[in-house]
Amino acid sequence: MNNENVIIEYEKSRWARFGPYYAMFPMDFAYDVINKYSKKETYVLDPFCGRGSSLYAAASLGRIAHGIEINPVGWLYSKVKLHPASIKSINNRLCDVINNTKDITINKNDFPEFFSYCFCDDVIKFLLSMQEMLDWKNNNVDATLMAFTLHYLHGKKGQSLSNQMPMVKAMSPQYSINWWNKNNCSIPPLIDIKEFFIQRIQWRYKKGYAKFKTSKSLHGNSIEKLHELKKYMDKKGKKYSLLFTSPPYHGVTNYFSDQWLRCWMLGEPNQPKINVDKYKKRFYSENAYIELLDKVFSMCKQMLENNAILYIRTDSREFTLNTTKKILLKYFPNHALTEQTSQCNVISQTELYKNSNKKPCEVDIILEPK
């Protein structure tokens, strides 16, 4: 179904908010920015797109959106929201995976204690079957089914596959075990896998879906993938009219650790780990943070129209805010910079990270041609 009215009335769309993820753009905010600062059939770029809220908002409002995300969980959400497979193909693939579970055996020695608290045996077999069968990187049907599994992998007991857990962030294994024992939740819920997913898949597709063929999300390091996008845009003879993004904040969080359980589903270790890749860990190093923003905005400069608008949501803390403004003005000296404190109608990103700063809201930096 490609019904524009269903998608534009985003409050009714069941895909706009698909994919629980830390520090998500509120959808109202994303739609407001796209409406105000871009026109239909123009190109929108988000080099730090997370779960793809900016891309979905832009595409559903008739723009062509391109994004990049280094975390495979966020990337998979954004990819699937733009290009979900058909409900029939998803249900058929689900049955294949469930049928395969009869050949799966669980070796308790292969898993940390956390898993026996978190999931019942049937769920563990299903998850192992998913890992064994799905080519989620290359096959769109497999990607869509995997995205559904990630969405419901953990959350409230009875509403997810797991024992009681937060939905947007996986807590550490030992913290979780201690909490479950303390709160008499040491036994995970029994789940009828087929019934669980069929209901949720039907609900998600009930009001339709769209495939935004010209919009896309790339998985990888923004610095490297921006070169790829530049070549693509150069061949088309096009440039972006709006840069709409929220870079990671200095010293705030590690998205890979926050999503360690969902990352495990995608092939990472079965417990939190410290990433050695400087772009996949918490930005404690001021030099590394400056390098990231400098390289990204330098590339963006080459890819934006001269009269392009930049809308950057960032942290209110001094180093992150001042660094972001300084680098933006370095590459866009002919733009007028304004800033405004974001409206805190919902929990802000900095509040989610338990930032003790007395200014918990984000700051929106807007650069427009003079």
Side-chain angles (χ1 to χ4, degrees):
M1 181 177 181
N2 193 2
N3 186 331
E4 185 178 3
N5 291 330
V6 170
I7 302 305
I8 289 181
E9 294 178 17
Y10 60 94
E11 288 293 348
K12 298 179 182 178
S13 171
R14 295 177 174 180
W15 290 93
R17 293 170 175 80
F18 180 75
Y21 202 63
Y22 229 33
M24 304 171 285
F25 273 161
M27 285 307 302
D28 290 357
F29 164 70
Y31 274 88
D32 287 345
V33 171
I34 296 297
N35 266 323
K36 184 175 181 179
Y37 294 102
S38 67
K39 298 178 180 179
K40 283 189 175 183
E41 299 182 0
T42 58
Y43 286 81
V44 177
L45 174 63
D46 185 348
F48 304 101
C49 71
R51 70 166 186 171
S53 296
S54 60
L55 308 185
Y56 187 88
S60 65
L61 291 173
R63 283 69 167 168
I64 303 165
H66 296 158
I68 302 167
E69 176 53 39
I70 195 170
N71 189 297
V73 176
W75 170 74
L76 195 57
Y77 290 149
S78 63
K79 168 185 165 64
V80 167
K81 287 195 307 193
L82 293 173
H83 307 283
S86 70
I87 186 171
K88 181 179 179 180
S89 65
I90 296 305
N91 285 334
N92 289 340
R93 192 59 167 149
L94 174 65
C95 290
D96 291 341
V97 174
I98 291 174
N99 289 337
N100 185 59
T101 59
K102 65 180 183 295
D103 298 321
I104 300 290
T105 57
I106 301 174
N107 185 345
K108 297 289 186 180
N109 294 327
D110 292 338
F111 293 95
E113 184 183 19
F114 166 88
F115 282 83
S116 62
Y117 277 83
C118 190
F119 304 115
C120 70
D121 286 354
D122 285 348
V123 168
I124 292 178
K125 288 181 180 180
F126 171 75
L127 299 179
L128 294 177
S129 182
M130 291 277 292
Q131 291 175 326
E132 179 181 289
M133 295 185 65
L134 298 193
D135 182 14
W136 54 270
K137 291 182 180 179
N138 304 301
N139 183 289
N140 194 46
V141 175
D142 288 1
T144 306
L145 181 56
M146 180 61 85
F148 268 92
T149 303
L150 296 182
H151 183 106
Y152 295 107
L153 185 63
H154 55 82
K156 289 184 178 179
K157 190 173 183 179
Q159 298 178 26
S160 68
L161 297 173
S162 73
N163 208 334
Q164 183 70 25
M165 287 187 70
M167 191 174 192
V168 297
K169 174 181 178 180
M171 306 306 290
S172 70
Q174 193 56 55
Y175 177 94
S176 300
I177 291 171
N178 292 343
W179 190 93
W180 287 324
N181 283 327
K182 181 179 179 180
N183 291 275
N184 298 317
C185 294
S186 59
I187 300 176
L190 298 176
I191 304 289
D192 183 320
I193 301 294
K194 187 172 182 178
E195 180 182 355
F196 180 92
F197 275 102
I198 291 295
Q199 288 180 357
R200 286 159 177 80
I201 291 170
Q202 288 178 341
W203 181 88
R204 187 70 57 180
Y205 280 83
K206 186 175 182 179
K207 293 191 176 182
Y209 69 101
K211 289 192 175 183
F212 303 110
K213 295 181 180 179
T214 55
S215 295
K216 59 183 178 180
S217 175
L218 304 182
H219 177 220
N221 183 323
S222 292
I223 296 171
E224 297 172 357
K225 291 298 178 179
L226 280 170
H227 288 280
E228 184 178 320
L229 277 179
K230 185 177 185 302
K231 290 180 181 178
Y232 172 82
M233 294 292 280
D234 287 347
K235 287 182 179 179
K236 295 181 71 67
K238 300 289 186 179
K239 290 197 172 185
Y240 298 97
S241 65
L242 173 64
L243 174 67
F244 176 32
T245 193
S246 181
Y249 302 165
H250 173 257
V252 172
T253 193
N254 184 319
Y255 290 92
F256 285 80
S257 294
D258 291 342
Q259 295 293 335
W260 74 266
L261 190 53
R262 291 185 171 106
C263 285
W264 164 75
M265 274 301 302
L266 301 180
E268 294 292 324
N270 57 17
Q271 55 190 328
K273 71 169 187 175
I274 298 176
N275 273 295
V276 295
D277 187 316
K278 64 180 177 180
Y279 298 119
K280 294 183 179 180
K281 59 185 180 181
R282 191 186 308 239
F283 280 97
Y284 278 131
S285 166
E286 292 185 353
N287 289 334
Y289 189 73
I290 292 170
E291 176 188 328
L292 172 69
L293 295 193
D294 190 85
K295 288 185 176 181
V296 167
F297 290 133
S298 172
M299 279 298 303
C300 289
K301 168 68 176 177
Q302 303 173 45
M303 302 165 69
L304 295 176
E305 297 173 350
N306 291 333
N307 62 345
I309 295 173
L310 296 84
Y311 197 109
I312 315 296
R313 172 158 286 189
T314 190
D315 191 2
S316 61
R317 292 175 303 160
E318 183 176 1
F319 175 77
T320 301
L321 178 59
N322 290 341
T323 298
T324 304
K325 290 194 294 185
K326 181 179 179 180
I327 294 173
L328 285 169
L329 289 174
K330 172 183 176 181
Y331 290 110
F332 301 93
N334 296 322
H335 279 59
L337 185 151
T338 58
E339 61 180 272
Q340 58 190 32
T341 302
S342 64
Q343 297 299 313
C344 293
N345 297 325
V346 296
I347 296 175
S348 72
Q349 295 179 28
T350 46
E351 283 179 307
L352 282 171
Y353 299 134
K354 299 181 181 179
N355 179 16
S356 60
N357 193 293
K358 292 184 179 180
K359 297 184 295 182
C361 295
E362 283 73 40
V363 173
D364 293 339
I365 302 173
I366 306 159
L367 284 87
E368 300 180 81
K370 292 180 181 178

